[in-house]
Amino acid sequence: MAFNLNAFANPKRFMWLSGLLLPWVAGITAICTIAGLYFALFNSPTDYQQGETVRIMYVHVPAATMSIAIYVSMAIASAMGLIWKHPLSDLAAKCMSPIGAVFTLIALFTGSLWGKPMWGTWWVWDARLTSELLLLFLFMGHMALLNAFDDPSRGTKSAGILCIVGVINVPIIKFSVDWWNTLHQPASLMKEGGPSIHPDMLIPLALMWFCFLGYFTLLLFIRMRSEIIASKVRALRLRQVHG
Amino acid sequence: MTEFFDMGGHGLYIWPCYGLTALLLVALLGTSMKSLSKSKKDLSIMEQLTKKEDK
């Protein structure tokens, strides 16, 4: 059976699939959260330079990774919406931006709280920090544009275009630490020569990654299901009004 | 126990990180589930109305 992407386009099939997966996603997320927090707070070493503040990494890094991953998937969804008029992908993009904005806010806030004891400052107009702040504005701009027009489809189209244009910011965030002389440290995982992080710290980091990824999936399913049901209600109301 | 919360004197920076993350994520889950249950309630109301009309 050839994989037909449009098979998932129809909301009924999505409702069935997400209904099936929701308990599993919730379960896995709960397990990763408990295990992740246990390892992060109780069962991982302090850093020889940063001491206990290295524990902020287990929240800061997954949140930052999620903020970029959500933005990229939002851009893909927006492109699918604009090019193939894929109804569910527009809906997915709409549901993703609040979640992405929250993860970006967490990344910025935890980074700032980490920077104060380690760098001696809450904020610096550093390439990495500034481009991540721009990411937050892009998410908020996407949300604002969605509701800026009376006609929802115009909002969806303009928000989609903003999102696609803003994708250029993602490689800038990723490579800012290599291109410019930044206060923010360079990559220690996704780089040549492979990860240079000790397993004792990699385990809590990986668990917290899956915790945030599971949480994002959970939220996305809930929000999309809510939007699909709401649009069904609107349709029933219209039918009732027009008889 | 206090030593644990002190976190080597950096508790002031570490706990707000975990606190705000939990707060934001739980709040987002709460609002999402609230809007889902509202949509479901609206749907059941609308479905009853349309059933009455079809009779």
Side-chain angles (χ1 to χ4, degrees), chain A residues 22 25-27 29-30 33 95 98-99 102-103 106 211 214-223 226, chain B residues 20-37:
Chain A
L22 256 173
V25 171
T29 305
T33 306
C95 294
I99 309 170
V102 164
F103 276 119
I106 291 172
C211 158
Y215 208 83
F216 164 70
T217 315
L218 191 67
L219 284 170
L220 183 62
F221 279 172
I222 291 171
R223 297 179 79 90
S226 167
Chain B
L20 181 94
T21 303
L23 187 77
L24 283 177
L25 291 184
V26 168
L28 195 50
L29 182 65
T31 49
S32 304
M33 291 178 79
K34 214 174 87 184
S35 77
L36 178 59
S37 57

PDB file of all heavy atoms in Angstrom, chain A residues 22 25-27 29-30 33 95 98-99 102-103 106 211 214-223 226, chain B residues 20-37:
ATOM      1  N   LEU A  22      -3.012   9.133  21.936  1.00  0.00           N
ATOM      2  CA  LEU A  22      -2.940  10.058  23.078  1.00  0.00           C
ATOM      3  C   LEU A  22      -2.548   9.385  24.403  1.00  0.00           C
ATOM      4  O   LEU A  22      -1.613   9.830  25.063  1.00  0.00           O
ATOM      5  CB  LEU A  22      -4.284  10.784  23.242  1.00  0.00           C
ATOM      6  CG  LEU A  22      -4.293  12.238  22.761  1.00  0.00           C
ATOM      7  CD1 LEU A  22      -5.676  12.833  22.806  1.00  0.00           C
ATOM      8  CD2 LEU A  22      -3.331  13.073  23.561  1.00  0.00           C
ATOM      9  N   VAL A  25       1.170   8.526  24.303  1.00  0.00           N
ATOM     10  CA  VAL A  25       2.043   9.708  24.362  1.00  0.00           C
ATOM     11  C   VAL A  25       2.054  10.262  25.780  1.00  0.00           C
ATOM     12  O   VAL A  25       3.099  10.582  26.334  1.00  0.00           O
ATOM     13  CB  VAL A  25       1.531  10.771  23.357  1.00  0.00           C
ATOM     14  CG1 VAL A  25       2.266  12.076  23.543  1.00  0.00           C
ATOM     15  CG2 VAL A  25       1.683  10.272  21.940  1.00  0.00           C
ATOM     16  N   ALA A  26       0.872  10.300  26.399  1.00  0.00           N
ATOM     17  CA  ALA A  26       0.805  10.823  27.770  1.00  0.00           C
ATOM     18  C   ALA A  26       1.614   9.942  28.716  1.00  0.00           C
ATOM     19  O   ALA A  26       2.376  10.441  29.544  1.00  0.00           O
ATOM     20  CB  ALA A  26      -0.649  10.881  28.224  1.00  0.00           C
ATOM     21  N   GLY A  27       1.503   8.629  28.548  1.00  0.00           N
ATOM     22  CA  GLY A  27       2.241   7.713  29.425  1.00  0.00           C
ATOM     23  C   GLY A  27       3.742   7.868  29.269  1.00  0.00           C
ATOM     24  O   GLY A  27       4.482   8.026  30.245  1.00  0.00           O
ATOM     25  N   THR A  29       5.369  10.369  28.078  1.00  0.00           N
ATOM     26  CA  THR A  29       5.809  11.693  28.547  1.00  0.00           C
ATOM     27  C   THR A  29       5.933  11.704  30.062  1.00  0.00           C
ATOM     28  O   THR A  29       6.914  12.198  30.617  1.00  0.00           O
ATOM     29  CB  THR A  29       4.784  12.760  28.099  1.00  0.00           C
ATOM     30  OG1 THR A  29       4.617  12.671  26.697  1.00  0.00           O
ATOM     31  CG2 THR A  29       5.242  14.148  28.484  1.00  0.00           C
ATOM     32  N   ALA A  30       4.964  11.093  30.752  1.00  0.00           N
ATOM     33  CA  ALA A  30       5.013  11.086  32.222  1.00  0.00           C
ATOM     34  C   ALA A  30       6.256  10.337  32.704  1.00  0.00           C
ATOM     35  O   ALA A  30       6.983  10.809  33.579  1.00  0.00           O
ATOM     36  CB  ALA A  30       3.747  10.438  32.765  1.00  0.00           C
ATOM     37  N   THR A  33       9.328  12.351  32.081  1.00  0.00           N
ATOM     38  CA  THR A  33       9.400  13.521  32.976  1.00  0.00           C
ATOM     39  C   THR A  33       9.946  13.116  34.337  1.00  0.00           C
ATOM     40  O   THR A  33      10.901  13.710  34.844  1.00  0.00           O
ATOM     41  CB  THR A  33       7.989  14.123  33.147  1.00  0.00           C
ATOM     42  OG1 THR A  33       7.437  14.388  31.866  1.00  0.00           O
ATOM     43  CG2 THR A  33       8.031  15.397  33.966  1.00  0.00           C
ATOM     44  N   CYS A  95      -1.877  25.479  15.678  1.00  0.00           N
ATOM     45  CA  CYS A  95      -1.801  24.931  17.043  1.00  0.00           C
ATOM     46  C   CYS A  95      -0.371  24.911  17.572  1.00  0.00           C
ATOM     47  O   CYS A  95      -0.150  24.898  18.777  1.00  0.00           O
ATOM     48  CB  CYS A  95      -2.370  23.520  17.043  1.00  0.00           C
ATOM     49  SG  CYS A  95      -4.115  23.479  16.685  1.00  0.00           S
ATOM     50  N   PRO A  98       1.617  28.661  19.611  1.00  0.00           N
ATOM     51  CA  PRO A  98       1.671  28.972  21.050  1.00  0.00           C
ATOM     52  C   PRO A  98       2.646  28.065  21.813  1.00  0.00           C
ATOM     53  O   PRO A  98       3.372  28.504  22.704  1.00  0.00           O
ATOM     54  CB  PRO A  98       0.243  28.740  21.520  1.00  0.00           C
ATOM     55  CG  PRO A  98      -0.600  28.716  20.316  1.00  0.00           C
ATOM     56  CD  PRO A  98       0.258  28.276  19.186  1.00  0.00           C
ATOM     57  N   ILE A  99       2.701  26.794  21.406  1.00  0.00           N
ATOM     58  CA  ILE A  99       3.602  25.861  22.101  1.00  0.00           C
ATOM     59  C   ILE A  99       5.046  26.267  21.835  1.00  0.00           C
ATOM     60  O   ILE A  99       5.885  26.310  22.743  1.00  0.00           O
ATOM     61  CB  ILE A  99       3.345  24.413  21.623  1.00  0.00           C
ATOM     62  CG1 ILE A  99       1.864  24.058  21.693  1.00  0.00           C
ATOM     63  CG2 ILE A  99       4.174  23.434  22.435  1.00  0.00           C
ATOM     64  CD1 ILE A  99       1.493  22.759  21.027  1.00  0.00           C
ATOM     65  N   VAL A 102       6.028  29.257  23.887  1.00  0.00           N
ATOM     66  CA  VAL A 102       6.288  28.930  25.296  1.00  0.00           C
ATOM     67  C   VAL A 102       7.673  28.317  25.449  1.00  0.00           C
ATOM     68  O   VAL A 102       8.450  28.697  26.330  1.00  0.00           O
ATOM     69  CB  VAL A 102       5.198  27.975  25.830  1.00  0.00           C
ATOM     70  CG1 VAL A 102       5.632  27.307  27.133  1.00  0.00           C
ATOM     71  CG2 VAL A 102       3.905  28.740  26.054  1.00  0.00           C
ATOM     72  N   PHE A 103       8.032  27.396  24.547  1.00  0.00           N
ATOM     73  CA  PHE A 103       9.362  26.779  24.664  1.00  0.00           C
ATOM     74  C   PHE A 103      10.463  27.810  24.435  1.00  0.00           C
ATOM     75  O   PHE A 103      11.500  27.798  25.089  1.00  0.00           O
ATOM     76  CB  PHE A 103       9.491  25.627  23.669  1.00  0.00           C
ATOM     77  CG  PHE A 103       8.934  24.336  24.175  1.00  0.00           C
ATOM     78  CD1 PHE A 103       7.882  23.702  23.520  1.00  0.00           C
ATOM     79  CD2 PHE A 103       9.442  23.738  25.322  1.00  0.00           C
ATOM     80  CE1 PHE A 103       7.357  22.502  23.995  1.00  0.00           C
ATOM     81  CE2 PHE A 103       8.913  22.546  25.808  1.00  0.00           C
ATOM     82  CZ  PHE A 103       7.874  21.930  25.141  1.00  0.00           C
ATOM     83  N   ILE A 106      10.827  29.802  27.573  1.00  0.00           N
ATOM     84  CA  ILE A 106      11.538  29.016  28.593  1.00  0.00           C
ATOM     85  C   ILE A 106      13.027  29.023  28.301  1.00  0.00           C
ATOM     86  O   ILE A 106      13.859  29.231  29.195  1.00  0.00           O
ATOM     87  CB  ILE A 106      10.996  27.572  28.632  1.00  0.00           C
ATOM     88  CG1 ILE A 106       9.572  27.537  29.172  1.00  0.00           C
ATOM     89  CG2 ILE A 106      11.906  26.667  29.448  1.00  0.00           C
ATOM     90  CD1 ILE A 106       8.894  26.177  29.070  1.00  0.00           C
ATOM     91  N   CYS A 211      11.016  14.102  27.189  1.00  0.00           N
ATOM     92  CA  CYS A 211       9.928  14.662  28.007  1.00  0.00           C
ATOM     93  C   CYS A 211       9.300  15.834  27.264  1.00  0.00           C
ATOM     94  O   CYS A 211       8.085  15.901  27.082  1.00  0.00           O
ATOM     95  CB  CYS A 211      10.501  15.101  29.346  1.00  0.00           C
ATOM     96  SG  CYS A 211       9.535  16.337  30.204  1.00  0.00           S
ATOM     97  N   GLY A 214       7.573  14.667  23.984  1.00  0.00           N
ATOM     98  CA  GLY A 214       6.292  14.015  24.294  1.00  0.00           C
ATOM     99  C   GLY A 214       5.260  15.043  24.691  1.00  0.00           C
ATOM    100  O   GLY A 214       4.106  15.006  24.264  1.00  0.00           O
ATOM    101  N   TYR A 215       5.687  16.037  25.453  1.00  0.00           N
ATOM    102  CA  TYR A 215       4.762  17.083  25.917  1.00  0.00           C
ATOM    103  C   TYR A 215       4.242  17.886  24.739  1.00  0.00           C
ATOM    104  O   TYR A 215       3.057  18.186  24.639  1.00  0.00           O
ATOM    105  CB  TYR A 215       5.494  17.987  26.901  1.00  0.00           C
ATOM    106  CG  TYR A 215       4.583  18.627  27.907  1.00  0.00           C
ATOM    107  CD1 TYR A 215       4.199  17.938  29.054  1.00  0.00           C
ATOM    108  CD2 TYR A 215       4.079  19.893  27.711  1.00  0.00           C
ATOM    109  CE1 TYR A 215       3.365  18.504  29.985  1.00  0.00           C
ATOM    110  CE2 TYR A 215       3.229  20.463  28.630  1.00  0.00           C
ATOM    111  CZ  TYR A 215       2.874  19.773  29.767  1.00  0.00           C
ATOM    112  OH  TYR A 215       2.027  20.342  30.686  1.00  0.00           O
ATOM    113  N   PHE A 216       5.139  18.186  23.806  1.00  0.00           N
ATOM    114  CA  PHE A 216       4.727  18.925  22.607  1.00  0.00           C
ATOM    115  C   PHE A 216       3.702  18.111  21.819  1.00  0.00           C
ATOM    116  O   PHE A 216       2.665  18.638  21.409  1.00  0.00           O
ATOM    117  CB  PHE A 216       5.952  19.212  21.736  1.00  0.00           C
ATOM    118  CG  PHE A 216       5.601  19.606  20.340  1.00  0.00           C
ATOM    119  CD1 PHE A 216       5.019  20.827  20.067  1.00  0.00           C
ATOM    120  CD2 PHE A 216       5.837  18.735  19.279  1.00  0.00           C
ATOM    121  CE1 PHE A 216       4.672  21.183  18.784  1.00  0.00           C
ATOM    122  CE2 PHE A 216       5.498  19.080  17.996  1.00  0.00           C
ATOM    123  CZ  PHE A 216       4.915  20.302  17.738  1.00  0.00           C
ATOM    124  N   THR A 217       3.975  16.814  21.636  1.00  0.00           N
ATOM    125  CA  THR A 217       3.045  15.975  20.867  1.00  0.00           C
ATOM    126  C   THR A 217       1.686  15.917  21.557  1.00  0.00           C
ATOM    127  O   THR A 217       0.645  16.061  20.913  1.00  0.00           O
ATOM    128  CB  THR A 217       3.626  14.555  20.749  1.00  0.00           C
ATOM    129  OG1 THR A 217       4.997  14.630  20.402  1.00  0.00           O
ATOM    130  CG2 THR A 217       2.878  13.738  19.735  1.00  0.00           C
ATOM    131  N   LEU A 218       1.719  15.769  22.860  1.00  0.00           N
ATOM    132  CA  LEU A 218       0.479  15.708  23.646  1.00  0.00           C
ATOM    133  C   LEU A 218      -0.341  16.988  23.448  1.00  0.00           C
ATOM    134  O   LEU A 218      -1.528  16.961  23.112  1.00  0.00           O
ATOM    135  CB  LEU A 218       0.869  15.559  25.124  1.00  0.00           C
ATOM    136  CG  LEU A 218      -0.202  15.231  26.136  1.00  0.00           C
ATOM    137  CD1 LEU A 218      -0.741  13.831  25.895  1.00  0.00           C
ATOM    138  CD2 LEU A 218       0.376  15.316  27.552  1.00  0.00           C
ATOM    139  N   LEU A 219       0.343  18.131  23.590  1.00  0.00           N
ATOM    140  CA  LEU A 219      -0.337  19.421  23.466  1.00  0.00           C
ATOM    141  C   LEU A 219      -0.870  19.608  22.050  1.00  0.00           C
ATOM    142  O   LEU A 219      -1.987  20.067  21.843  1.00  0.00           O
ATOM    143  CB  LEU A 219       0.629  20.556  23.800  1.00  0.00           C
ATOM    144  CG  LEU A 219       0.943  20.763  25.267  1.00  0.00           C
ATOM    145  CD1 LEU A 219       2.090  21.739  25.438  1.00  0.00           C
ATOM    146  CD2 LEU A 219      -0.283  21.274  26.002  1.00  0.00           C
ATOM    147  N   LEU A 220      -0.074  19.208  21.068  1.00  0.00           N
ATOM    148  CA  LEU A 220      -0.491  19.402  19.676  1.00  0.00           C
ATOM    149  C   LEU A 220      -1.741  18.586  19.378  1.00  0.00           C
ATOM    150  O   LEU A 220      -2.699  19.108  18.797  1.00  0.00           O
ATOM    151  CB  LEU A 220       0.644  18.991  18.731  1.00  0.00           C
ATOM    152  CG  LEU A 220       0.378  19.216  17.245  1.00  0.00           C
ATOM    153  CD1 LEU A 220       0.179  20.684  16.950  1.00  0.00           C
ATOM    154  CD2 LEU A 220       1.506  18.645  16.414  1.00  0.00           C
ATOM    155  N   PHE A 221      -1.753  17.336  19.828  1.00  0.00           N
ATOM    156  CA  PHE A 221      -2.934  16.493  19.588  1.00  0.00           C
ATOM    157  C   PHE A 221      -4.159  17.101  20.263  1.00  0.00           C
ATOM    158  O   PHE A 221      -5.222  17.207  19.660  1.00  0.00           O
ATOM    159  CB  PHE A 221      -2.686  15.084  20.142  1.00  0.00           C
ATOM    160  CG  PHE A 221      -1.876  14.193  19.241  1.00  0.00           C
ATOM    161  CD1 PHE A 221      -1.430  12.965  19.676  1.00  0.00           C
ATOM    162  CD2 PHE A 221      -1.547  14.606  17.958  1.00  0.00           C
ATOM    163  CE1 PHE A 221      -0.687  12.135  18.854  1.00  0.00           C
ATOM    164  CE2 PHE A 221      -0.796  13.795  17.118  1.00  0.00           C
ATOM    165  CZ  PHE A 221      -0.368  12.549  17.577  1.00  0.00           C
ATOM    166  N   ILE A 222      -4.010  17.519  21.524  1.00  0.00           N
ATOM    167  CA  ILE A 222      -5.164  18.068  22.254  1.00  0.00           C
ATOM    168  C   ILE A 222      -5.681  19.317  21.550  1.00  0.00           C
ATOM    169  O   ILE A 222      -6.871  19.479  21.305  1.00  0.00           O
ATOM    170  CB  ILE A 222      -4.782  18.372  23.719  1.00  0.00           C
ATOM    171  CG1 ILE A 222      -4.543  17.077  24.493  1.00  0.00           C
ATOM    172  CG2 ILE A 222      -5.862  19.205  24.401  1.00  0.00           C
ATOM    173  CD1 ILE A 222      -3.969  17.277  25.877  1.00  0.00           C
ATOM    174  N   ARG A 223      -4.764  20.189  21.166  1.00  0.00           N
ATOM    175  CA  ARG A 223      -5.197  21.457  20.546  1.00  0.00           C
ATOM    176  C   ARG A 223      -5.804  21.198  19.179  1.00  0.00           C
ATOM    177  O   ARG A 223      -6.808  21.828  18.809  1.00  0.00           O
ATOM    178  CB  ARG A 223      -4.013  22.419  20.452  1.00  0.00           C
ATOM    179  CG  ARG A 223      -3.449  22.822  21.793  1.00  0.00           C
ATOM    180  CD  ARG A 223      -2.277  23.754  21.659  1.00  0.00           C
ATOM    181  NE  ARG A 223      -2.717  25.122  21.386  1.00  0.00           N
ATOM    182  CZ  ARG A 223      -2.967  26.013  22.329  1.00  0.00           C
ATOM    183  NH1 ARG A 223      -2.870  25.654  23.601  1.00  0.00           N
ATOM    184  NH2 ARG A 223      -3.327  27.245  22.038  1.00  0.00           N
ATOM    185  N   SER A 226      -9.251  19.801  19.572  1.00  0.00           N
ATOM    186  CA  SER A 226     -10.173  20.852  20.005  1.00  0.00           C
ATOM    187  C   SER A 226     -10.587  21.728  18.827  1.00  0.00           C
ATOM    188  O   SER A 226     -11.756  22.070  18.660  1.00  0.00           O
ATOM    189  CB  SER A 226      -9.458  21.685  21.073  1.00  0.00           C
ATOM    190  OG  SER A 226     -10.161  22.862  21.297  1.00  0.00           O
TER     191      SER A 226
ATOM    192  N   LEU B  20       9.480  27.941  36.591  1.00  0.00           N
ATOM    193  CA  LEU B  20       8.776  28.600  35.485  1.00  0.00           C
ATOM    194  C   LEU B  20       8.467  27.600  34.373  1.00  0.00           C
ATOM    195  O   LEU B  20       7.375  27.616  33.805  1.00  0.00           O
ATOM    196  CB  LEU B  20       9.612  29.735  34.893  1.00  0.00           C
ATOM    197  CG  LEU B  20       8.858  30.436  33.759  1.00  0.00           C
ATOM    198  CD1 LEU B  20       8.104  31.629  34.259  1.00  0.00           C
ATOM    199  CD2 LEU B  20       9.748  30.782  32.616  1.00  0.00           C
ATOM    200  N   THR B  21       9.402  26.690  34.111  1.00  0.00           N
ATOM    201  CA  THR B  21       9.142  25.695  33.064  1.00  0.00           C
ATOM    202  C   THR B  21       7.911  24.877  33.406  1.00  0.00           C
ATOM    203  O   THR B  21       7.009  24.720  32.580  1.00  0.00           O
ATOM    204  CB  THR B  21      10.369  24.771  32.924  1.00  0.00           C
ATOM    205  OG1 THR B  21      11.505  25.576  32.647  1.00  0.00           O
ATOM    206  CG2 THR B  21      10.160  23.755  31.846  1.00  0.00           C
ATOM    207  N   ALA B  22       7.844  24.422  34.651  1.00  0.00           N
ATOM    208  CA  ALA B  22       6.678  23.617  35.053  1.00  0.00           C
ATOM    209  C   ALA B  22       5.416  24.456  34.965  1.00  0.00           C
ATOM    210  O   ALA B  22       4.390  24.026  34.429  1.00  0.00           O
ATOM    211  CB  ALA B  22       6.887  23.103  36.480  1.00  0.00           C
ATOM    212  N   LEU B  23       5.511  25.688  35.447  1.00  0.00           N
ATOM    213  CA  LEU B  23       4.331  26.558  35.469  1.00  0.00           C
ATOM    214  C   LEU B  23       3.794  26.779  34.055  1.00  0.00           C
ATOM    215  O   LEU B  23       2.618  26.556  33.758  1.00  0.00           O
ATOM    216  CB  LEU B  23       4.731  27.909  36.092  1.00  0.00           C
ATOM    217  CG  LEU B  23       3.595  28.872  36.350  1.00  0.00           C
ATOM    218  CD1 LEU B  23       2.828  28.454  37.594  1.00  0.00           C
ATOM    219  CD2 LEU B  23       4.132  30.297  36.536  1.00  0.00           C
ATOM    220  N   LEU B  24       4.692  27.163  33.135  1.00  0.00           N
ATOM    221  CA  LEU B  24       4.255  27.472  31.766  1.00  0.00           C
ATOM    222  C   LEU B  24       3.687  26.230  31.085  1.00  0.00           C
ATOM    223  O   LEU B  24       2.642  26.276  30.439  1.00  0.00           O
ATOM    224  CB  LEU B  24       5.433  28.029  30.960  1.00  0.00           C
ATOM    225  CG  LEU B  24       5.813  29.481  31.226  1.00  0.00           C
ATOM    226  CD1 LEU B  24       7.036  29.867  30.405  1.00  0.00           C
ATOM    227  CD2 LEU B  24       4.661  30.399  30.897  1.00  0.00           C
ATOM    228  N   LEU B  25       4.379  25.099  31.242  1.00  0.00           N
ATOM    229  CA  LEU B  25       3.930  23.893  30.534  1.00  0.00           C
ATOM    230  C   LEU B  25       2.600  23.390  31.102  1.00  0.00           C
ATOM    231  O   LEU B  25       1.701  23.010  30.343  1.00  0.00           O
ATOM    232  CB  LEU B  25       4.997  22.805  30.599  1.00  0.00           C
ATOM    233  CG  LEU B  25       6.263  23.101  29.791  1.00  0.00           C
ATOM    234  CD1 LEU B  25       7.225  21.922  29.845  1.00  0.00           C
ATOM    235  CD2 LEU B  25       5.929  23.422  28.344  1.00  0.00           C
ATOM    236  N   VAL B  26       2.451  23.439  32.430  1.00  0.00           N
ATOM    237  CA  VAL B  26       1.190  22.971  33.019  1.00  0.00           C
ATOM    238  C   VAL B  26       0.054  23.932  32.653  1.00  0.00           C
ATOM    239  O   VAL B  26      -1.055  23.505  32.318  1.00  0.00           O
ATOM    240  CB  VAL B  26       1.339  22.831  34.552  1.00  0.00           C
ATOM    241  CG1 VAL B  26      -0.013  22.626  35.212  1.00  0.00           C
ATOM    242  CG2 VAL B  26       2.276  21.678  34.883  1.00  0.00           C
ATOM    243  N   ALA B  27       0.357  25.237  32.633  1.00  0.00           N
ATOM    244  CA  ALA B  27      -0.680  26.210  32.262  1.00  0.00           C
ATOM    245  C   ALA B  27      -1.122  25.979  30.820  1.00  0.00           C
ATOM    246  O   ALA B  27      -2.314  25.996  30.496  1.00  0.00           O
ATOM    247  CB  ALA B  27      -0.131  27.619  32.433  1.00  0.00           C
ATOM    248  N   LEU B  28      -0.154  25.707  29.942  1.00  0.00           N
ATOM    249  CA  LEU B  28      -0.487  25.473  28.536  1.00  0.00           C
ATOM    250  C   LEU B  28      -1.342  24.208  28.402  1.00  0.00           C
ATOM    251  O   LEU B  28      -2.327  24.173  27.663  1.00  0.00           O
ATOM    252  CB  LEU B  28       0.818  25.312  27.741  1.00  0.00           C
ATOM    253  CG  LEU B  28       0.750  25.402  26.220  1.00  0.00           C
ATOM    254  CD1 LEU B  28       0.014  26.631  25.763  1.00  0.00           C
ATOM    255  CD2 LEU B  28       2.134  25.347  25.627  1.00  0.00           C
ATOM    256  N   LEU B  29      -1.008  23.185  29.168  1.00  0.00           N
ATOM    257  CA  LEU B  29      -1.802  21.946  29.127  1.00  0.00           C
ATOM    258  C   LEU B  29      -3.203  22.212  29.654  1.00  0.00           C
ATOM    259  O   LEU B  29      -4.199  21.783  29.074  1.00  0.00           O
ATOM    260  CB  LEU B  29      -1.130  20.855  29.966  1.00  0.00           C
ATOM    261  CG  LEU B  29      -1.828  19.488  29.961  1.00  0.00           C
ATOM    262  CD1 LEU B  29      -1.804  18.859  28.576  1.00  0.00           C
ATOM    263  CD2 LEU B  29      -1.177  18.544  30.957  1.00  0.00           C
ATOM    264  N   GLY B  30      -3.277  22.986  30.718  1.00  0.00           N
ATOM    265  CA  GLY B  30      -4.575  23.302  31.322  1.00  0.00           C
ATOM    266  C   GLY B  30      -5.476  24.033  30.344  1.00  0.00           C
ATOM    267  O   GLY B  30      -6.630  23.643  30.120  1.00  0.00           O
ATOM    268  N   THR B  31      -4.938  25.080  29.699  1.00  0.00           N
ATOM    269  CA  THR B  31      -5.789  25.842  28.770  1.00  0.00           C
ATOM    270  C   THR B  31      -6.170  24.982  27.568  1.00  0.00           C
ATOM    271  O   THR B  31      -7.297  25.051  27.088  1.00  0.00           O
ATOM    272  CB  THR B  31      -5.031  27.086  28.262  1.00  0.00           C
ATOM    273  OG1 THR B  31      -3.734  26.679  27.831  1.00  0.00           O
ATOM    274  CG2 THR B  31      -4.930  28.154  29.312  1.00  0.00           C
ATOM    275  N   SER B  32      -5.243  24.130  27.119  1.00  0.00           N
ATOM    276  CA  SER B  32      -5.564  23.280  25.958  1.00  0.00           C
ATOM    277  C   SER B  32      -6.678  22.306  26.305  1.00  0.00           C
ATOM    278  O   SER B  32      -7.621  22.119  25.531  1.00  0.00           O
ATOM    279  CB  SER B  32      -4.326  22.500  25.515  1.00  0.00           C
ATOM    280  OG  SER B  32      -3.258  23.377  25.250  1.00  0.00           O
ATOM    281  N   MET B  33      -6.594  21.714  27.476  1.00  0.00           N
ATOM    282  CA  MET B  33      -7.634  20.728  27.844  1.00  0.00           C
ATOM    283  C   MET B  33      -8.957  21.422  28.110  1.00  0.00           C
ATOM    284  O   MET B  33     -10.027  20.896  27.803  1.00  0.00           O
ATOM    285  CB  MET B  33      -7.166  19.918  29.052  1.00  0.00           C
ATOM    286  CG  MET B  33      -6.021  19.014  28.697  1.00  0.00           C
ATOM    287  SD  MET B  33      -5.396  18.070  30.064  1.00  0.00           S
ATOM    288  CE  MET B  33      -6.596  16.777  30.160  1.00  0.00           C
ATOM    289  N   LYS B  34      -8.877  22.655  28.634  1.00  0.00           N
ATOM    290  CA  LYS B  34     -10.124  23.385  28.883  1.00  0.00           C
ATOM    291  C   LYS B  34     -10.832  23.677  27.562  1.00  0.00           C
ATOM    292  O   LYS B  34     -12.031  23.474  27.413  1.00  0.00           O
ATOM    293  CB  LYS B  34      -9.826  24.697  29.605  1.00  0.00           C
ATOM    294  CG  LYS B  34     -10.938  25.096  30.592  1.00  0.00           C
ATOM    295  CD  LYS B  34     -10.550  26.339  31.399  1.00  0.00           C
ATOM    296  CE  LYS B  34     -10.948  27.588  30.600  1.00  0.00           C
ATOM    297  NZ  LYS B  34     -10.536  28.832  31.256  1.00  0.00           N
ATOM    298  N   SER B  35     -10.038  24.101  26.556  1.00  0.00           N
ATOM    299  CA  SER B  35     -10.703  24.433  25.280  1.00  0.00           C
ATOM    300  C   SER B  35     -11.215  23.155  24.624  1.00  0.00           C
ATOM    301  O   SER B  35     -12.253  23.165  23.952  1.00  0.00           O
ATOM    302  CB  SER B  35      -9.728  25.164  24.371  1.00  0.00           C
ATOM    303  OG  SER B  35      -8.829  24.264  23.787  1.00  0.00           O
ATOM    304  N   LEU B  36     -10.554  22.027  24.853  1.00  0.00           N
ATOM    305  CA  LEU B  36     -11.039  20.768  24.278  1.00  0.00           C
ATOM    306  C   LEU B  36     -12.370  20.380  24.913  1.00  0.00           C
ATOM    307  O   LEU B  36     -13.339  20.047  24.221  1.00  0.00           O
ATOM    308  CB  LEU B  36     -10.011  19.643  24.501  1.00  0.00           C
ATOM    309  CG  LEU B  36     -10.424  18.253  23.989  1.00  0.00           C
ATOM    310  CD1 LEU B  36     -10.692  18.274  22.484  1.00  0.00           C
ATOM    311  CD2 LEU B  36      -9.336  17.221  24.293  1.00  0.00           C
ATOM    312  N   SER B  37     -12.454  20.502  26.227  1.00  0.00           N
ATOM    313  CA  SER B  37     -13.713  20.086  26.863  1.00  0.00           C
ATOM    314  C   SER B  37     -14.835  21.047  26.495  1.00  0.00           C
ATOM    315  O   SER B  37     -15.982  20.643  26.304  1.00  0.00           O
ATOM    316  CB  SER B  37     -13.554  19.991  28.373  1.00  0.00           C
ATOM    317  OG  SER B  37     -13.121  21.219  28.879  1.00  0.00           O
TER     318      SER B  37
END
